[in-house]
């Protein structure tokens, strides 16, 4: 019997095929690696070696503001601060850092919103947040019928009040820090806390910086005011560290190398001279690898604090003028008819240079909490608010009459009142007889100005008959007034100056009102520019509150060299003959120094030989209590005064406005009382 054949095993054959396949795969891999190394090797080497340079800018202290005698008005006070720089950290890393930092410092949580809490809950509870989405909603999402945003909004909506209770006070501080971290921009340093940073907080954070990536201790700066609230409305404000750049000017500042969280001037001098006060930021260059990790850093520049502004203002004089206004306003309130009286303005200026020596405004406001009436700084109102000022403009009226040929030196008019058809009698406060232009200024004749205006308008007056005037008369007079600074912007180096209201009607009667200051409105700054133009012989000087710009002197409280001197600027000159100007100045001198002048009783014995013009305007109230009076505002009297001294060689010009000074016929003379005390104070201080 034959033995059966043994069955042959296939295992060695299969094993050989497996080994051969592996050999082929390794061969392909080796060939591919060789190809990559030979063909693309240099590219990969460059990628591995690739670095990115990112420059970080750190803010520097703003420049100071000094008065004309180099007394510091505004400076910077150093403050301990804790800062954070997002160096490309993930949300998880920032959350871990916020959690650690919250255990070391106390942070305010008042800016945390309900939405912030919901977002934070989702980030810290991702699985529980996902569980709030139903199976059907997930299917809709998979089918692309719901977006990522739709899913996220559903999660937000379904977070219950019980869920939010899990965010206790400790977690709330973590959230506040996490929110601050996220609000910044990559590689931009931002202040996390600069208010009430204790020595202990600063020390404990400094000790733990290695475990707090992105966190640093630093010095921040806060504006301090050495004269408290004096002139503060004009000095302006700076944005806070958590405000950053104003949204409406974002592109403007970003184009000038500002960071989004930089503090900038947001009003008045701080805003107007931002480029000067801001300085040059210190810069550090961070070098990162391709993954965004910082591998080295080195300084580019140490930066330089902002330049200092030397103002034209004499702060001691400013303080005294402020006090005079306050005292005289309180005194005026004791008179009848002063329920609506609540403010007054004074400007002192060098008529030859345009340097503003003092610009004071005070107004009464009621404290909302205590209900008590207090005085508030309103120096801003000297050039941002305008009023009917009355007879103070009559000097411009006479000079306009000369220029247009309406009158000549020595022209005489009878002061009898004018009766225009269908119009109440227009007259002076009393019958003043026949007078020339000098006496008309001294006694403040309205009728003389009316006749001058009629002649400017080529009109002919007959008693109780219609009065027809050239339609261009308003433009002629307003253009002439503007050449003195009335009814136009003065050009002061501060923002938001107002030019005033111009009456719209061209009825003849309103032209007569215009030339006695009872139609258009003017500011105190316009009045002081106008009277300075007369005082200096016919040159309209541009008022300015900055005198010099100084380079900072590092490490000291001393002053650096002058970078720029603000020189006097003549905006225009008056087309007036010397004799014309002399006669108007003589009329102004008689107002204050000759018996019968409207200001003689207050200035007749002044040793500094003043000249000027008083003003009383019939106006309508338009103040904070206006809402109480319905459609028809109550009639009021505005008081004003312009002056300069000494009359022979003026060194100071002054304007005073007391809007809504009284109702009725009891004149409290607040303008004259304020004016006399202010000029007395100026010359007394000059002696010292």
């Amino acid at each position: 019997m034959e033995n059966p054949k043994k069955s042959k095993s296939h295992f060695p054959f299969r094993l050989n095929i497996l080994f051969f396949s592996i050999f082929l795969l390794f061969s392909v891999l080796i060939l591919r690696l060789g190809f990559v190394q030979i063909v693309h090797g240099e590219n990969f080497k460059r990628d591995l070696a690739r670095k990115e340079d990112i420059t970080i800018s750190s803010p520097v202290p703003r420049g100071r503001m000094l008065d004309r005698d180099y007394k510091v008005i505004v400076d910077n006070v150093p403050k301990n601060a804790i800062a954070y720089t997002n160096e490309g950290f993930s949300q998880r890393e920032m959350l871990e850092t916020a959690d650690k930092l919250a255990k070391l410092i106390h942070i305010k949580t008042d800016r945390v919103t309900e939405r912030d809490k919901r977002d934070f809950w989702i980030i810290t509870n991702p699985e529980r947040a996902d569980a709030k989405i139903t199976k059907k909603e997930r299917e809709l999402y998979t089918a692309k019928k719901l977006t990522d945003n739709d899913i996220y909004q559903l999660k937000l909506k379904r977070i219950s009040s019980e869920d939010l209770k899990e965010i206790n006070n400790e977690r709330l501080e973590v959230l506040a820090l996490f929110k601050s971290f996220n609000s910044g921009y990559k590689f931009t340093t931002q202040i996390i806390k600069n208010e009430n940073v204790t020595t202990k907080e600063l020390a404990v954070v400094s000790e733990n910086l290695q475990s707090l990536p992105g966190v640093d201790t630093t010095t921040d700066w806060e504006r301090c005011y050495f004269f408290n609230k004096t002139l503060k409305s004009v000095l302006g404000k700076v944005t806070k560290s958590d405000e950053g750049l104003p949204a409406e000017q974002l592109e403007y500042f970003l184009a000038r190398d500002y960071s989004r969280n930089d503090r900038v001037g947001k009003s008045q001098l701080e805003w107007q001279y931002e480029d000067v006060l801001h300085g040059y930021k210190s810069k550090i260059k961070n070098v990162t690898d391709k993954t965004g990790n910082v591998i080295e850093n080195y300084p580019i520049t140490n930066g330089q604090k902002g330049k200092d502004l030397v103002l034209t203002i004499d702060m001691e004089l400013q303080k005294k003028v402020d006090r005079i206004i306050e005292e005289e306003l309180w005194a005026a309130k004791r008179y009848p008819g002063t329920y609506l009286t609540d403010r007054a303005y004074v400007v002192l200026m060098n008529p030859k240079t345009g340097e503003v020596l003092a610009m004071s405004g005070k107004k009464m406001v009621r404290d909302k909490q205590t209900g008590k009436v207090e005085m508030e700084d309103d120096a801003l109102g000297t050039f941002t608010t305008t009023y009917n000022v009355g007879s103070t403009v009559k000097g411009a009226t006479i000079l306009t009459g000369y220029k247009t040929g309406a009158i000549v030196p020595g022209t005489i008019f009878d002061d009898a009142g004018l009766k225009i058809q269908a119009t109440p009698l227009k007259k002076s406060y009393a019958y003043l007889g026949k007078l020339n232009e000098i006496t008309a200024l001294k006694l403040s004749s309205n009728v003389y100005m009316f006749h001058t205006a009629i002649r400017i308008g080529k009109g002919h007056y007959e008693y109780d008959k219609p009065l027809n005037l050239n339609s261009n008369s308003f433009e002629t007079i307003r253009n002439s007034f503007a050449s003195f600074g009335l009814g136009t912007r003065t050009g002061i180096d501060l923002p938001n100056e107002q030019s005033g209201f111009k009456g719209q009607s061209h009825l003849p009667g309103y032209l007569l009102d215009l030339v006695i200051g009872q139609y258009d409105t003017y500011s105190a700054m316009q009045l002081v520019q106008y009277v300075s133009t007369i005082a200096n012989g016919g040159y309209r000087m541009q008022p300015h509150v900055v005198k010099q710009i100084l380079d900072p002197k590092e490490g000291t409280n001393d002053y650096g060299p002058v970078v720029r001197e603000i020189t006097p600027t003549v905006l225009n000159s008056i087309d007036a003959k010397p004799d014309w100007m002399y006669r108007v100045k003589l009329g102004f001198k008689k107002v204050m120094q000759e018996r019968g002048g409207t200001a003689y009783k207050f200035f007749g014995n002044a040793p500094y030989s003043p000249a000027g013009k008083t003003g009383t305007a019939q106006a309508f109230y338009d103040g904070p209590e206006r809402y109480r009076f319905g459609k028809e505002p109550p009639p009021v009297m505005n008081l004003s005064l312009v002056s300069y001294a000494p009359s022979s060689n003026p060194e100071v010009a002054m304007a005073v406005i007391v809007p809504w000074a009284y109702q009725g016929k009891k004149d409290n003379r607040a303008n004259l009382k304020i004016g006399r005390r202010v000029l007395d104070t100026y010359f007394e201080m000059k002696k010292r």
Side-chain angles (χ1 to χ4, degrees):
M1 182 176 174
E2 294 181 0
N3 291 328
K5 293 182 179 179
K6 292 181 179 180
S7 61
K8 191 174 181 179
S9 174
H10 295 284
F11 182 74
F13 176 74
R14 290 174 180 172
L15 191 61
N16 288 336
I17 291 175
L18 178 61
F19 285 152
F20 182 71
S21 298
I22 292 172
F23 171 76
L24 286 177
L25 289 173
F26 270 104
S27 298
V28 171
L29 181 61
I30 292 169
L31 289 171
R32 180 60 183 169
L33 288 173
F35 175 79
V36 168
Q37 185 172 359
I38 294 168
V39 178
H40 298 292
E42 291 302 316
N43 292 338
F44 285 117
K45 283 182 181 179
R46 283 195 293 270
D47 284 343
L48 288 171
R50 186 176 64 192
K51 299 176 181 178
E52 186 176 1
D53 294 344
I54 299 174
T55 301
I56 297 179
S57 299
S58 299
V60 293
R62 290 177 73 80
R64 300 175 297 174
M65 296 186 197
L66 318 170
D67 85 340
R68 66 185 299 109
D69 295 321
Y70 297 93
K71 295 174 184 173
V72 178
I73 304 172
V74 185
D75 202 349
N76 307 291
V77 174
K79 300 171 62 178
N80 291 332
I82 297 168
Y84 181 78
T85 305
N86 181 2
E87 298 175 358
F89 303 120
S90 65
Q91 274 198 338
R92 180 183 59 80
E93 291 171 320
M94 285 192 282
L95 191 58
E96 290 174 357
T97 302
D99 196 45
K100 293 175 184 176
L101 186 59
K103 293 180 174 66
L104 305 178
I105 66 172
H106 171 69
I107 195 80
K108 289 182 179 180
T109 60
D110 54 326
R111 291 181 177 272
V112 174
T113 64
E114 178 81 7
R115 172 60 188 266
D116 293 331
K117 293 179 183 179
R118 292 178 179 273
D119 289 329
F120 185 70
W121 192 90
I122 291 175
I123 292 170
T124 53
N125 299 276
E127 293 180 359
R128 291 169 63 190
D130 288 341
K132 293 184 180 293
I133 303 302
T134 65
K135 182 179 179 181
K136 183 177 180 181
E137 288 164 347
R138 294 186 186 282
E139 291 172 353
L140 291 172
Y141 174 74
T142 304
K144 297 185 178 180
K145 292 183 178 180
L146 289 177
T147 64
D148 287 328
N149 183 59
D150 293 332
I151 295 295
Y152 192 77
Q153 292 301 320
L154 289 170
K155 291 179 182 178
L156 287 173
K157 187 178 180 180
R158 290 168 185 170
I159 295 172
S160 67
S161 57
E162 291 300 315
D163 292 332
L164 293 180
K165 285 181 181 179
E166 297 171 10
I167 305 176
N168 57 24
N169 290 337
E170 291 181 3
R171 296 302 291 166
L172 204 58
E173 291 197 27
V174 176
L175 165 54
L177 286 169
F178 181 66
K179 179 181 179 180
S180 294
F181 293 174
N182 271 295
S183 65
Y185 293 85
K186 191 175 179 182
F187 294 105
T188 298
T189 301
Q190 59 181 347
I191 300 298
I192 298 303
K193 181 179 180 180
N194 61 2
E195 295 290 340
N196 303 316
V197 178
T198 65
T199 305
K200 181 180 178 181
E201 285 179 329
L202 200 69
V204 73
V205 171
S206 298
E207 291 170 2
N208 290 275
L209 289 179
Q210 288 185 339
S211 62
L212 298 168
V215 176
D216 197 6
T217 54
T218 185
T219 300
D220 195 21
W221 304 91
E222 181 179 52
R223 284 309 227 182
C224 62
Y225 302 87
F226 286 79
F227 290 83
N228 298 319
K229 296 181 180 180
T230 303
L231 203 66
K232 198 169 181 181
S233 63
V234 169
L235 299 175
K237 296 180 181 178
V238 178
T239 58
K240 296 180 181 179
S241 56
D242 55 359
E243 288 181 85
L245 301 181
E248 64 274 11
Q249 295 176 292
L250 183 63
E251 297 303 323
Y252 171 85
F253 284 115
L254 290 178
R256 285 157 178 78
D257 198 31
Y258 283 72
S259 300
R260 290 176 182 264
N261 63 339
D262 278 351
R263 282 171 292 180
V264 298
K266 63 178 181 179
S267 64
Q268 299 315 314
L269 276 172
E270 294 278 15
W271 181 88
Q272 185 76 17
Y273 287 90
E274 169 63 27
D275 291 345
V276 172
L277 293 167
H278 189 261
Y280 302 99
K281 294 184 285 187
S282 60
K283 294 185 178 182
I284 296 176
K285 182 169 284 188
N286 282 350
V287 181
T288 65
D289 59 22
K290 64 178 296 183
T291 62
N293 295 316
V294 177
I295 57 177
E296 62 177 312
N297 58 56
Y298 54 91
I300 299 175
T301 174
N302 291 326
Q304 185 184 62
K305 66 173 287 190
K307 293 179 174 60
D308 295 334
L309 296 182
V310 178
L311 306 189
T312 62
I313 304 291
D314 181 333
M315 286 301 285
E316 291 301 326
L317 176 62
Q318 176 77 31
K319 284 171 57 181
K320 291 179 183 296
V321 174
D322 280 357
R323 186 162 57 250
I324 289 168
I325 293 178
E326 287 189 16
E327 291 172 357
E328 292 300 334
L329 270 179
W330 287 122
K333 293 293 282 185
R334 294 196 289 267
Y335 280 75
T338 56
Y339 167 71
L340 298 173
T341 307
D342 70 344
R343 64 193 66 195
Y345 303 98
V346 174
V347 180
L348 292 177
M349 188 170 90
N350 184 323
K352 297 174 183 176
T353 65
E355 292 182 1
V356 177
L357 307 175
M359 49 189 305
S360 180
K362 289 289 180 177
K363 65 180 178 182
M364 298 174 173
V365 294
R366 189 175 297 278
D367 187 283
K368 292 182 180 178
Q369 294 182 338
T370 65
K372 186 179 177 181
V373 176
E374 299 174 344
M375 286 287 183
E376 181 179 86
D377 174 67
D378 191 28
L380 211 60
T382 58
F383 63 94
T384 61
T385 59
T386 62
Y387 307 93
N388 298 118
V389 297
S391 299
T392 46
V393 306
K394 287 177 179 177
T397 300
I398 295 299
L399 285 165
T400 303
Y402 288 150
K403 287 194 295 182
T404 58
I407 59 174
V408 296
T411 297
I412 294 176
F413 291 120
D414 191 325
D415 194 60
L418 304 185
K419 180 67 175 74
I420 302 169
Q421 189 179 66
T423 303
L425 185 69
K426 301 182 79 68
K427 59 187 181 65
S428 302
Y429 58 90
Y431 176 63
L432 304 174
K434 294 182 179 181
L435 30 71
N436 64 13
E437 75 279 23
I438 296 173
T439 309
L441 289 173
K442 172 188 171 181
L443 302 179
S444 198
S445 166
N446 286 343
V447 174
Y448 195 99
M449 308 303 149
F450 296 157
H451 283 297
T452 301
I454 291 170
R455 287 195 177 187
I456 291 172
K458 310 296 183 185
H460 175 70
Y461 168 72
E462 289 186 43
Y463 187 85
D464 206 22
K465 296 289 179 68
L467 179 63
N468 295 313
L469 300 176
N470 189 311
S471 60
N472 295 325
S473 304
F474 282 90
E475 185 178 358
T476 299
I477 293 172
R478 282 173 175 153
N479 287 343
S480 177
F481 277 24
S483 68
F484 293 90
L486 296 172
T488 188
R489 290 184 175 87
T490 65
I492 190 170
D493 53 341
L494 289 166
N496 305 317
E497 182 182 13
Q498 299 299 307
S499 59
F501 171 79
K502 291 180 173 58
Q504 299 301 304
S505 175
H506 282 189
L507 291 174
Y510 289 124
L511 187 72
L512 308 190
D513 292 338
L514 176 63
V515 296
I516 62 169
Q518 298 199 156
Y519 194 40
D520 291 357
T521 64
Y522 312 107
S523 68
M525 193 63 66
Q526 289 176 12
L527 286 185
V528 81
Q529 187 181 56
Y530 146 70
V531 77
S532 293
T533 304
I534 292 174
N536 66 33
Y539 297 95
R540 184 164 78 102
M541 304 304 299
Q542 181 176 2
H544 57 98
V545 295
V546 174
K547 183 181 177 70
Q548 295 172 327
I549 298 173
L550 309 179
D551 253 338
K553 201 165 186 178
E554 293 298 331
T556 71
N557 289 323
D558 207 350
Y559 320 112
V562 176
V563 177
R564 181 184 169 196
E565 189 89 33
I566 310 300
T567 56
T569 300
V570 178
L571 298 178
N572 61 268
S573 59
I574 303 301
D575 181 19
K577 295 178 181 179
D579 181 50
W580 298 349
M581 197 66 71
Y582 167 78
R583 293 180 72 84
V584 170
K585 293 173 77 171
L586 179 59
F588 276 22
K589 184 176 180 180
K590 288 176 178 286
V591 167
M592 293 190 158
Q593 295 189 47
E594 189 171 280
R595 193 174 300 277
T598 55
Y600 175 77
K601 289 182 179 179
F602 285 85
F603 289 91
N605 63 349
Y608 39 81
S609 182
K613 186 72 191 74
T614 58
T616 305
Q618 296 177 351
F620 290 97
Y621 177 73
D622 191 28
E625 302 292 319
R626 173 67 182 85
Y627 69 96
R628 297 179 181 274
F629 300 102
K631 290 184 178 181
E632 192 70 28
V636 290
M637 304 299 286
N638 295 344
L639 296 177
S640 65
L641 174 69
V642 294
S643 181
Y644 55 85
S647 57
S648 57
N649 186 24
E651 63 179 70
V652 64
M654 176 184 69
V656 180
I657 297 181
V658 186
W660 323 315
Y662 64 94
Q663 293 175 276
K665 295 183 178 180
K666 186 65 175 177
D667 187 349
N668 53 48
R669 304 298 182 97
N671 56 333
L672 294 167
K673 294 172 183 176
I674 291 171
R676 175 62 195 259
R677 289 185 63 187
V678 167
L679 285 184
D680 283 354
T681 299
Y682 171 83
F683 284 101
E684 285 169 7
M685 290 183 65
K686 182 187 173 186
K687 288 179 183 177
R688 293 199 296 268

